[in-house]
Amino acid sequence: GAGVSQTPSNKVTEKGKYVELRCDPISGHTALYWYRQSLGQGPEFLIYFQGTGAADDSGLPNDRFFAVRPEGSVSTLKIQRTERGDSAVYLCASSPVRGPQETQYFGPGTRLLVL
Amino acid sequence: GQQLNQSPQSMFIQEGEDVSMNCTSSSIFNTWLWYKQDPGEGPVLLIALYKAGELTSNGRLTAQFGITRKDSFLNISASIPSDVGIYFCAGQLRHSGGSNYKLTFGKGTLLTVNP
C-alpha cells in the first residue's frame, strides 16, 4: 500500500516568507508526528497529533511554527516569517491506533532552504 | 532538543566485515529502536526492542536493549555494499495510559562499505 507522502519534496524560499509543508499519512493511521532534521543530526520531535488534536506541541521551537490536522488525516506544518536557521529536512511520520508495539512510518521529507 | 549519544560518528569498512555501533542516554527509555536512512529518504525501522536485556535479530542485524535501559547496541555481520547509509538509534518512553510515543534520536552513524 501507499506510504507516507510529503509535498513539496523541496522548497526554496526567502527569509521572511511564509511556507506550508504537507503530509499525507498512511490511510487509517490516527497518530501523526512532525520531526525536523538538520544537516548531520538526527530527527528532532516537533509536534504530535492523535486524530485532529495536537496532543503535544512541546517540540515546536517558537510561535512562528504551527501545525494543523483538521480532518484527522492530512496535516500541514506552517512556518511564518522564515529564518535561515529554519533550513532543514522536515519529516512526517504516522502510526496506527496506538498499541504496545506501534511503529512510526516516515515519509521522505521536505527539504526546506531559506535564503 | 535532547539527542542521544551515538558512536561512532562514521565507519569505513571492507565488505564482509562485522560492524558495531552503540547509543547511550542520560535518561531511561522503555523502548529502543534502530533506523536506517538512505539519501533523500526518511528513516526506515530495522529493529525494535521492548524489554531491558532483550536481544533481537533481523537477518544479519542484531541489537540489544541494555539492562540499565540507558543504552543499546547494533551489530551488522558480514557487511555488504547495500548496508551503506546512516544508522540512527532512537529511544521511546511509553507511559502507562499515555499517548505520545515521540522518538528521541541519536546523531547517527554514517557507514561506508568498500566492495
Side-chain angles (χ1 to χ4, degrees), chain A residues 33 35 37 40-45 48 50 55-56 58 89 91 98-109 111, chain B residues 1-3 31 35 37 39-45 50 88 92 94 97-108:
Chain A
Y33 300 79
Y35 294 84
Q37 186 174 23
Q41 304 291 317
E44 291 187 287
F45 169 76
Y48 158 68
Q50 182 61 249
D56 184 350
S58 62
V89 176
L91 293 164
R98 64 176 187 265
Q101 297 183 353
E102 72 170 35
T103 295
Q104 293 183 26
Y105 297 87
F106 283 83
R111 280 144 198 81
Chain B
Q2 177 194 8
Q3 289 213 313
T31 300
Y35 284 83
Q37 187 174 29
E41 302 292 329
V44 174
L45 182 66
Y50 300 104
F88 290 99
Q92 192 175 48
R94 299 169 181 271
S99 61
N100 184 356
Y101 299 130
K102 64 184 178 184
L103 301 176
T104 300
F105 283 86
K107 292 189 176 183

Side-chain angles (χ1 to χ4, degrees), chain B residues 44-61:
Chain B
V44 174
L45 182 66
L46 299 174
I47 288 184
L49 302 153
Y50 300 104
K51 292 196 303 186
E54 180 181 358
L55 183 71
T56 297
S57 293
N58 178 8
R60 294 178 297 105
L61 277 59

Side-chain angles (χ1 to χ4, degrees), chain B:
Chain B
Q2 177 194 8
Q3 289 213 313
L4 306 179
N5 300 310
Q6 187 172 347
S7 63
Q9 282 188 314
S10 62
M11 302 183 74
F12 298 84
I13 62 170
Q14 293 296 124
E15 183 177 359
E17 290 182 350
D18 297 344
V19 170
S20 184
M21 57 193 79
N22 67 80
C23 202
T24 61
S25 170
S26 58
S27 54
I28 64 171
F29 292 101
N30 50 28
T31 300
W32 281 90
L33 305 148
W34 285 91
Y35 284 83
K36 179 174 183 269
Q37 187 174 29
D38 293 327
E41 302 292 329
V44 174
L45 182 66
L46 299 174
I47 288 184
L49 302 153
Y50 300 104
K51 292 196 303 186
E54 180 181 358
L55 183 71
T56 297
S57 293
N58 178 8
R60 294 178 297 105
L61 277 59
T62 301
Q64 184 155 32
F65 189 146
I67 289 292
T68 65
R69 295 201 283 161
K70 292 184 178 181
D71 64 301
S72 177
F73 72 75
L74 174 71
N75 287 340
I76 305 173
S77 63
S79 58
I80 60 178
S82 63
D83 290 335
V84 165
I86 304 177
Y87 291 79
F88 290 99
C89 61
Q92 192 175 48
L93 191 59
R94 299 169 181 271
H95 299 282
S96 174
S99 61
N100 184 356
Y101 299 130
K102 64 184 178 184
L103 301 176
T104 300
F105 283 86
K107 292 189 176 183
T109 295
L110 173 61
L111 178 64
T112 303
V113 180
N114 296 318

Side-chain angles (χ1 to χ4, degrees), chain A residues 7 10 12 25 29-30 32 37 51 53 60 62 65 70-71 75 82 84 93 104 106 114-115:
Chain A
T7 54
N10 294 280
V12 181
H29 282 193
T30 59
L32 186 146
Q37 186 174 23
L60 295 178
N62 51 60
F65 289 75
E71 298 179 358
S75 176
T82 53
R84 291 193 180 90
Q104 293 183 26
F106 283 83
V114 182
L115 300 176

Side-chain angles (χ1 to χ4, degrees), chain A residues 53-75:
Chain A
D56 184 350
D57 64 358
S58 62
L60 295 178
N62 51 60
D63 61 6
R64 295 187 297 106
F65 289 75
F66 188 71
V68 296
R69 194 186 185 198
E71 298 179 358
S73 178
V74 170
S75 176

Side-chain angles (χ1 to χ4, degrees), chain A residues 72-83:
Chain A
S73 178
V74 170
S75 176
T76 303
L77 179 65
K78 309 180 180 193
I79 310 174
Q80 298 177 319
R81 305 183 303 280
T82 53
E83 300 178 356

